Amino acid sequence: MSHPAPPAAAFGAEDESHLKLLSIFYYVLAALGAAALLMAVGITALLLGYLGAGGPGHDGSAAVGDLTVPIVVMALSIGLSLASSILQFMTARRLRQRRGRGLCQFTAAITCLSFPLGTLLGVFTFIVLARPQVRAAFGD
């Protein structure tokens, strides 16, 4: 004898609240990433300005060679921070609009790499987006 499956829960106020909170936290994380981006740009500008103003070698040539790796690392850091902030901002908007569940999951996976706050946010995002009623609200 088979029993009918229980009806799926309808998208409710709790789900709406969770999506709104996740959206807010992604906006905050995007803002923090943008602040880190500005700091990295500022540090890089100061470093390059210091070298141009007659840093350790007075002609700047030897010092630039010594700092090639740190400058490349700062440039990569700036690029990753920018990309991460853009993704998190886009995800915050998509969560409010209930669109782009795949993008939200991708960003959650990337955000999990930012321990500990990003990991918590990413895991909770996966939990909320896995609910059947939330999947239905996203049109999946």
Side-chain angles (χ1 to χ4, degrees), residues 1-136:
M1 176 161 103
S2 85
H3 298 284
F11 187 83
E14 182 177 344
D15 296 313
E16 182 68 39
S17 171
H18 289 170
L19 288 175
K20 185 176 181 180
L21 281 173
L22 286 173
S23 178
I24 291 168
F25 289 138
Y26 274 104
Y27 278 126
V28 169
L29 207 55
L32 290 173
L37 172 68
L38 290 176
M39 287 187 343
V41 168
I43 290 170
T44 303
L46 285 174
L47 182 62
L48 292 174
Y50 173 71
L51 292 175
H58 294 296
D59 64 353
S61 60
V64 171
D66 295 339
L67 293 174
T68 300
V69 171
I71 290 172
V72 168
V73 168
M74 289 299 288
L76 287 174
S77 171
I78 290 168
L80 289 174
S81 181
L82 178 63
S84 178
S85 292
I86 290 170
L87 272 175
Q88 289 163 349
F89 181 79
M90 289 172 56
T91 297
R93 291 194 57 190
R94 294 297 192 274
L95 286 168
R96 287 208 180 225
Q97 298 167 346
R98 290 186 229 137
R99 297 181 21 216
R101 187 171 163 271
L103 173 71
C104 295
Q105 289 176 322
F106 176 76
T107 305
I110 299 288
T111 302
C112 282
L113 298 174
S114 180
F115 186 80
L117 297 177
T119 304
L120 286 171
L121 181 59
V123 168
F124 286 129
T125 303
F126 281 125
I127 290 170
V128 170
L129 292 178
R131 295 179 190 155
Q133 63 272 22
V134 174
R135 290 179 82 149

